[in-house]
Amino acid sequence: MLVALVLVLLLAFAASLALGSRWLGPGALWHALTANNGSDPDVIIRGLRFPRTVVAVLIGLCLGIAGTLMQGHTRNALAEPGIFGVSSGAAFAVVLGLQLGLVDTVSSTVWVALLGALIATFAVQHLASRGSGASPVGLALTGAAVAALLGALTTAIVLLDANTLDSYRFWAVGSVAGRGLDVAGQVLPFAALGLVLAAVNARDLDLLALGDDVAAGLGLSIRRARLVGLGAIGLLTAAGVAACGPIGFLGLLSGHVARRMFGARNTWLIPAAGVIGATCLVLADLVGRLVGGAGEVQAGVVLGVVGAPLFVLVVRRRAVAL
Amino acid sequence: MRSRTVVLSILFAALAIVIALVSLSVGTARLPLTDVVEVLLGGGRRGTRLVVLELRLPRIATGLLVGIAFAVSGALLQTLSRNALASPDIVGVNSGASAGAVAVIVLAGTGGGNISGFAAKVGIPAAAVLGGLLATLIVGALSIQRGVVDAGKVVLIGVGIAAAANSLVAWMLVIGDVNDAGRAAAWLAGSLNSRAWSDAIPVLIAVVLLLPVAMMFNRDLSALVLGDDVASSLGVRVAGIRLALLVIATVLAAMATAGAGPIAFVALVAPQVAQRLTRMERPPLVTTATLGALFVVLADFVARNGLQWAQVGPYELPVGVVTAACGAPYLLHLIGRQQKGR
């Protein structure tokens, strides 16, 4: 089934190259792939559509896996970097870094976003699990509270500096438009490390799902497994947010679709969620390009509008606890 | 009303007025308090009158009024849903209202022909109320299952709808003109900067019309706290009253959002604190209203002068930053208590 998912992703990839404000057929695609003599279609495909599609695949992979890992670790079907304040943490750190002049390039943005994402991940998890452990409602609300606080502070900083606002508003909406291969290259090390940690963590998660006591009895170091998981979530979210801005609901969407197809085994679930996340982001970007007419609707907005009904569906089904 | 409730209401109102007066006297031009009082009583020099009546008073009046409107809205929603967390800023009313208002701010200039001046002033409150009502309608309709509203689900679904509305807002900020986006962003933080009488008056009308109506339902609200079954056996027409109060709460929050932006956490915190201090089983409306007004003028006073005191520079923060900085920890504290109570 994973093979079928990859095929769907490849189809989405091809569609993303062919469709847009101007339709370019298979012939043009082949031409751009093989000849590339600088004709208009070649430039559009190689210079514009290919880079953003690659970025969408990479970031979709990261965010899909980050969300699914969060759902596993918190045993909470609503876990999602966008909802849980992790993206807000990364966003706040980036804006603070911009304002203080600490960051200017994308690669330094990643470090700052990483730090913000990690701190927010730990903070939300810690704050929500006081008392009798984190309930789904408690975790969602803690995330909302942290996101509201960080959002207000972010706005305050942005408003002090008109120049930051203009770049911030394009970044805050969540989009892959105009992101080149250089951006993908700069976040790649962080994404790769995150993916490795996620792969290591997948089997531990299967054990953790049996309950902490059983997992410890089977010889798993709970503390280490949690730390590796949090590290993976932080790295993957940071790479995503640094490259494309805060894109919400992608982790939620991928996690749930993957769970329906592959059940609860994380060793299958996590790679599947990554492929689904990549496909969703490529498609969201494509839809945004097609419905936008002269302009375009950013992928983050498309996912917000599509993701919210899904979120509501999950809540209504009483499926909030995994 | 019990004496404790009365005393606290009077205390909060008095404090709000004192801070409002101090706030009227402090600013780039510092005025003696006696001059401010003189102006308010109808006297004073022309320059002083201009500063106080035209520049500072509209802003502070807007602050007092939106504080009342947000707080009462939160008190009503929390009582109706029997959930301390069901305030308009959590369950999507403010986000819906923001989407409506930002649509007017951004689209009026570019997309929808040149609406400006009077039309924009009327359009923002109207669009905010529409957006807020629409969000309430969606959240309400989706959280009813088998005829029952689940309080926990209202909150979660509200969070989801708020996220969707916020992504629409982010999109409108992108498609708009830079200057419109700047105006909208400043407004979205929850700000009282450069408010005029035309901002205060719609909120004033909403508060003057709707607060008395809400207070007429005081007895029914106390019954609803006991549960729908008990309330209906006490002769309360539960469904009708619930709907009426829901509409009142939504319109109050939406009008306040139109006036000053979605100032965070006022609607959540004021009713909760008022309930704790009065030791009632639900947020008392008048005490909540006065506390909301106090909270907003105090936060605005800090927002206006905080950065100068801290020697950062001559900037003003949006009031919503201050309320968020105080409100978010309080929300986290509330969640922690709920978790432990389980």
Side-chain angles (χ1 to χ4, degrees):
Chain A
M1 232 184 329
L2 201 53
V3 178
L5 281 178
V6 174
L7 280 177
V8 173
L9 174 59
L10 287 175
L11 276 177
F13 198 105
S16 175
L17 293 183
L19 299 172
S21 55
R22 185 171 159 190
W23 153 256
L24 299 171
L29 285 186
W30 185 248
H31 186 268
L33 213 60
T34 53
N36 184 32
N37 55 9
S39 66
D40 274 2
D42 288 1
V43 171
I44 291 173
I45 290 170
R46 293 178 75 107
L48 299 174
R49 290 185 190 170
F50 181 73
R52 73 190 286 173
T53 311
V54 170
V55 171
V57 169
L58 179 67
I59 300 310
L61 196 70
C62 289
L63 292 178
I65 290 179
T68 312
L69 279 178
M70 277 187 93
Q71 289 163 15
H73 276 285
T74 58
R75 289 197 203 126
N76 184 332
L78 298 177
E80 216 287 322
I83 298 267
F84 277 35
V86 181
S87 303
S88 317
F92 172 65
V94 168
V95 169
L96 192 65
L98 281 172
Q99 178 69 23
L100 297 177
L102 293 174
V103 296
D104 42 6
T105 62
V106 174
S107 59
S108 51
T109 307
V110 176
W111 284 109
V112 176
L114 175 72
L115 195 67
L118 282 176
I119 292 174
T121 310
F122 279 105
V124 170
Q125 180 65 29
H126 174 74
L127 288 168
S129 57
R130 292 167 302 169
S132 58
S135 75
V137 179
L139 207 51
L141 283 168
T142 307
V146 170
L149 177 61
L150 292 172
L153 294 176
T154 305
T155 318
I157 294 173
V158 167
L159 287 176
L160 291 180
D161 181 7
N163 290 327
T164 322
L165 170 67
D166 201 28
S167 45
Y168 173 74
R169 64 178 178 144
F170 285 99
W171 181 80
V173 70
S175 171
V176 297
R179 266 69 167 185
L181 290 177
D182 53 332
V183 172
Q186 276 163 326
V187 300
L188 191 61
F190 301 93
L193 184 59
L195 291 174
V196 169
L197 287 182
V200 171
N201 206 223
R203 298 200 35 197
D204 295 348
L205 254 186
D206 282 338
L207 293 179
L208 283 172
L210 302 171
D212 284 6
D213 294 342
V214 179
L218 290 169
L220 180 73
S221 162
I222 307 266
R223 219 181 128 72
R224 207 191 62 201
R226 295 274 185 227
L227 277 177
V228 170
L230 283 176
I233 293 165
L235 281 165
L236 293 170
T237 310
V241 175
C244 297
I247 293 180
F249 290 117
L250 195 59
L252 188 80
L253 200 70
S254 325
H256 283 275
V257 176
R259 214 170 291 278
R260 294 210 70 157
M261 296 176 72
F262 291 89
R265 279 202 50 201
N266 287 291
T267 34
W268 283 100
L269 194 57
I270 285 173
V275 178
I276 292 167
T279 313
C280 287
L281 189 51
V282 171
L283 289 178
D285 180 45
L286 182 59
V287 168
R289 254 187 284 161
L290 293 179
V291 301
E296 54 180 70
V297 181
Q298 287 72 14
V301 178
V302 175
L303 279 166
V305 173
V306 176
L310 177 91
F311 182 85
V312 169
L313 194 74
V314 174
V315 171
R316 278 173 64 88
R317 286 232 174 122
R318 289 198 167 277
V320 279
L322 284 181
Chain B
M1 267 206 282
R2 293 179 310 177
S3 60
R4 190 183 176 88
T5 318
V6 176
V7 169
L8 281 170
S9 303
I10 294 171
L11 177 70
F12 293 149
L15 277 174
I17 290 168
V18 169
I19 291 166
L21 285 175
V22 173
S23 198
L24 281 173
S25 76
V26 177
T28 37
R30 181 161 274 187
L31 305 166
L33 215 50
T34 47
D35 284 15
V36 172
V37 175
E38 195 186 352
V39 166
L40 289 179
L41 295 176
R45 282 179 297 123
R46 269 189 65 189
T48 321
R49 288 185 66 84
L50 179 78
V51 170
V52 172
L53 294 180
E54 297 302 317
L55 299 178
R56 293 184 190 165
L57 191 58
R59 170 196 191 126
I60 288 160
T62 310
L64 289 167
L65 289 165
V66 300
I68 294 173
F70 275 130
V72 171
S73 172
L76 291 176
L77 285 180
Q78 287 174 11
T79 309
L80 288 176
S81 65
R82 268 173 266 139
N83 187 333
L85 301 169
S87 71
D89 34 5
I90 303 276
V91 300
V93 179
N94 290 8
S95 298
S98 298
V102 170
V104 172
I105 294 177
V106 169
L107 303 178
T110 51
N114 284 311
I115 310 172
S116 61
F118 179 72
K121 285 289 180 210
V122 178
I124 292 176
V129 171
L130 270 179
L133 279 174
L134 190 64
T136 312
L137 198 70
I138 295 173
V139 173
L142 289 173
S143 45
I144 294 174
Q145 269 174 325
R146 289 181 281 278
V148 189
V149 178
D150 181 327
K153 277 189 182 162
V154 172
V155 174
L156 285 177
I157 290 175
V159 169
I161 298 300
N166 289 339
S167 74
L168 284 178
V169 167
W171 176 59
M172 287 190 280
L173 286 185
V174 169
I175 59 172
D177 173 68
V178 186
N179 295 324
D180 287 338
R183 274 171 62 209
W187 178 87
L188 278 171
S191 171
L192 291 168
N193 286 6
S194 64
R195 289 291 172 260
W197 285 114
S198 53
D199 297 300
I201 285 166
V203 193
L204 178 69
I205 294 171
V207 168
V208 166
L209 289 181
L210 295 179
L211 187 56
V213 179
M215 290 185 46
M216 278 162 44
F217 289 107
N218 240 328
R219 213 181 60 85
D220 301 320
L221 279 168
S222 296
L224 279 171
V225 173
L226 304 171
D228 288 3
D229 294 343
V230 179
S232 58
S233 74
L234 287 170
V236 177
R237 296 216 322 279
V238 173
I241 285 172
R242 196 180 274 282
L243 182 68
L245 289 171
L246 196 63
V247 171
I248 291 173
T250 306
V251 172
L252 279 173
M255 291 303 278
T257 307
I263 301 178
F265 293 112
V266 178
L268 180 101
V269 170
Q272 285 300 303
V273 174
Q275 182 178 355
R276 295 270 143 72
L277 292 177
T278 56
R279 298 184 194 143
M280 303 244 303
E281 48 294 316
R282 69 177 174 86
L285 292 181
V286 176
T287 318
T288 303
T290 51
L291 186 60
L294 171 62
F295 188 20
V296 173
V297 285
L298 189 59
D300 186 50
F301 184 59
V302 174
R304 215 150 62 97
N305 303 300
L307 289 181
Q308 273 104 307
W309 294 335
Q311 312 252 310
V312 176
Y315 303 112
E316 290 188 5
L317 282 172
V319 61
V321 172
V322 178
T323 59
C326 308
Y330 187 72
L331 172 58
L332 293 172
H333 162 76
L334 273 184
I335 297 164
R337 281 173 52 114
Q338 282 207 344
Q339 301 266 37
K340 278 185 192 124
R342 240 163 247 256

